[in-house]
Amino acid sequence: MSLRHAILALLTAEPMTGYDMAQHFDDAVAFLWSAPHSQIYPELRKMEAEGLVLAEEVPRGKRATKRLYSLTDQGREELGEWLAADEPYPPERDVHRLKTAYFELSDLENARRHFEAHLAHYRRRLDRWQEVLNSIYDRRHPLLRLRLSQWPEEAHDAIAGYKALAFEGEVARARAEIDWAERGLELVERLSGVDAVSR
Amino acid sequence: MSLRHAILALLTAEPMTGYDMAQHFDDAVAFLWSAPHSQIYPELRKMEAEGLVLAEEVPRGKRATKRLYSLTDQGREELGEWLAADEPYPPERDVHRLKTAYFELSDLENARRHFEAHLAHYRRRLDRWQEVLNSIYDRRHPLLRLRLSQWPEEAHDAIAGYKALAFEGEVARARAEIDWAERGLELVERLSGVDAVSR
DNA sequence: GTAGTCATGTAAGAGGTTACATGATTAG
DNA sequence: CTAATCATGTAACCTCTTACATGACTAC
């Protein structure tokens, strides 16, 4: 049930359309959650029916309209309850780690390929997260600027601080995965050395 | 589609019942994947129908029987294909990180509570993973011993090496989360200091 | 006019969670 | 005999993915 809370949280910045939300989620740049539009639109309808958000049909061009969603008091309350609630920790389930545990059943070249891919993936991730993080540090990040503009000076350190912390967590994770993949490559080297000697 | 591959991988060690698999998954101690028995039993039936596993009804006590599953050649092949295939990277989706990004909407005490919980959770995780890891290092781990006994000496370093690497990844992750939660607590301290001064 | 973006949906299916349900076996 | 463990299922429900589908708007 986190999609709806991610949506509520997004809407605290400003009213937006489902399409806008999908952009924020898809980029994965601006956000810590992710969802396709096929999940967002139905959820928004449900949330509207439950009174958590309010939809306003606003014109777009000449004939078309779009649905601009905003938070209701009830939505704000729901968000507050979610923030206060203990969050259960889902079981770990990492396909890459699982697969790695059985690489002895394939060959060294396959293992190397996978670790290289892991490395490449998390390097890209790291770059993107780091960029977002920098834009939070110097308060260039558009959504953040918008939020800050709505709050008094005293609140700014907290608002930016928590956002930065969240992304720092992702950055640290990416770094850890890079280190891990490098250890994986070292292991492959070691094993292929042994292999060569024993031949 | 990873549950079936986790099952196939497990079965490379020895034939076992669905119940046994559930134990391995539930403990989460012995494994990098997790699934309840309600998911395992139907999957096993499907896999049997597809010829990936073979079920043998063996007696249990006087009247009862149990279904002992083992790998077929086809199952082994499927496992090999999976190991060789590129694995897509699922989008990041971490509720705790998401929630953290919006702690300014609750209060400092709530933020502190959440970070403490995060700390406690990952410290427990770290202990458990570290224990498993140690049992791999000195080759006490029962499933690992079983595997090693089926392979020639030369393969042992690879078999144990990949298992160790996988758990080292989890250990590193747990450590990173602990560090992160501690930074969270420091942030709360800093913010409450500012708060006190500005009052 | 046309390509790219804006905008909103539906539907089938896979994967996972939680709860319900049952019964034999074993250790005390 | 009784409680814990062994053992196997079903069913409802939720979440997420992938694919199908449509049409208006805007910049060129």
Side-chain angles (χ1 to χ4, degrees):
Chain A
M1 266 266 231
S2 274
L3 172 59
R4 70 170 44 195
H5 297 114
I7 288 174
L8 291 172
L10 254 189
L11 285 177
T12 59
E14 63 172 340
M16 59 181 87
T17 67
Y19 185 84
D20 295 331
M21 296 175 198
Q23 297 291 100
H24 286 300
F25 289 145
D26 271 7
D27 288 359
V29 153
F31 223 65
L32 303 162
W33 200 256
S34 145
H37 72 267
S38 64
Q39 212 186 347
I40 294 170
Y41 292 121
E43 186 65 29
L44 281 170
R45 291 291 183 159
K46 262 190 264 169
M47 290 168 74
E48 191 188 1
E50 292 174 38
L52 300 176
V53 296
L54 190 80
E56 192 194 352
E57 296 259 354
V58 301
R60 169 170 87 96
K62 279 164 193 159
R63 280 178 295 284
T65 61
K66 56 182 179 179
R67 297 172 65 80
L68 197 64
Y69 288 92
S70 52
L71 266 187
T72 63
D73 288 345
Q74 213 187 315
R76 217 172 288 274
E77 203 185 319
E78 170 64 34
L79 184 59
E81 277 163 29
W82 173 70
L83 283 165
D86 287 349
E87 205 60 52
Y89 284 78
E92 304 274 352
R93 221 177 257 123
D94 185 323
V95 203
H96 299 95
R97 219 78 92 189
L98 174 66
K99 197 180 269 199
T100 298
Y102 296 98
F103 273 160
E104 80 267 13
L105 299 172
S106 70
D107 55 54
L108 287 169
E109 198 32 49
N110 183 55
R112 179 180 287 120
R113 251 192 46 246
H114 274 87
F115 290 128
E116 300 278 15
H118 203 76
L119 215 47
H121 174 77
Y122 280 103
R123 279 188 180 140
R124 270 198 309 277
R125 278 260 163 109
L126 178 59
D127 284 349
R128 281 208 279 144
W129 291 134
Q130 189 65 64
E131 236 177 85
V132 179
L133 188 52
N134 289 338
S135 77
I136 291 172
Y137 285 150
D138 46 29
R139 305 196 177 177
R140 274 182 293 108
H141 192 288
L143 226 51
L144 176 62
R145 287 176 67 95
L146 193 61
R147 277 173 202 289
L148 294 180
S149 73
Q150 294 163 20
W151 291 83
E153 275 289 322
E154 312 92 75
H156 288 198
D157 281 349
I159 295 169
Y162 288 125
K163 308 272 170 307
L165 183 67
F167 284 98
E168 281 162 6
E170 295 307 302
V171 164
R173 183 149 155 55
R175 276 195 223 283
E177 292 301 328
I178 289 169
D179 287 351
W180 182 75
E182 274 164 356
R183 300 194 54 169
L185 287 172
E186 282 164 27
L187 175 61
V188 170
E189 284 314 305
R190 221 158 44 241
L191 291 174
S192 58
V194 169
D195 211 38
V197 168
S198 72
R199 254 193 235 132
Chain B
M1 267 265 231
S2 274
L3 172 57
R4 70 169 45 194
H5 298 114
I7 288 174
L8 291 171
L10 253 188
L11 286 178
T12 58
E14 63 172 341
M16 58 180 88
T17 66
Y19 186 83
D20 295 331
M21 297 176 196
Q23 298 292 101
H24 287 300
F25 289 145
D26 270 8
D27 289 0
V29 153
F31 223 66
L32 302 162
W33 200 259
S34 144
H37 72 268
S38 64
Q39 212 186 346
I40 294 170
Y41 290 121
E43 186 64 29
L44 281 170
R45 292 291 183 159
K46 261 190 266 172
M47 291 168 75
E48 191 189 2
E50 293 174 38
L52 300 175
V53 296
L54 189 81
E56 191 194 355
E57 295 260 352
V58 301
R60 170 170 86 96
K62 279 166 194 157
R63 280 177 296 283
T65 61
K66 56 183 180 180
R67 296 172 65 81
L68 197 63
Y69 288 91
S70 52
L71 265 188
T72 63
D73 288 344
Q74 213 188 314
R76 218 172 287 273
E77 203 185 319
E78 169 65 35
L79 184 59
E81 278 164 28
W82 174 70
L83 283 165
D86 287 349
E87 205 61 50
Y89 285 78
E92 305 274 353
R93 224 177 255 123
D94 185 323
V95 202
H96 299 96
R97 220 78 91 190
L98 174 67
K99 197 181 268 200
T100 299
Y102 297 98
F103 274 160
E104 79 267 12
L105 299 172
S106 70
D107 55 56
L108 288 169
E109 198 32 48
N110 182 55
R112 180 181 284 118
R113 252 192 46 245
H114 275 87
F115 290 127
E116 300 278 15
H118 204 77
L119 215 47
H121 174 77
Y122 280 103
R123 280 186 178 142
R124 271 197 308 278
R125 280 258 164 110
L126 178 59
D127 285 350
R128 280 207 280 145
W129 292 133
Q130 189 64 64
E131 238 176 84
V132 179
L133 188 53
N134 289 337
S135 78
I136 291 172
Y137 284 150
D138 47 29
R139 305 192 178 181
R140 275 183 292 110
H141 193 289
L143 227 51
L144 176 62
R145 288 177 67 94
L146 193 62
R147 278 173 201 288
L148 294 181
S149 73
Q150 296 163 18
W151 291 83
E153 274 290 321
E154 311 93 76
H156 288 199
D157 281 350
I159 295 170
Y162 288 126
K163 308 274 172 306
L165 183 68
F167 284 99
E168 281 162 6
E170 294 307 301
V171 164
R173 184 149 156 57
R175 277 195 223 282
E177 291 301 329
I178 289 168
D179 286 350
W180 181 74
E182 274 165 357
R183 298 193 55 167
L185 286 173
E186 281 164 28
L187 175 62
V188 170
E189 284 315 304
R190 222 158 45 241
L191 291 174
S192 59
V194 168
D195 211 40
V197 168
S198 71
R199 253 193 236 129

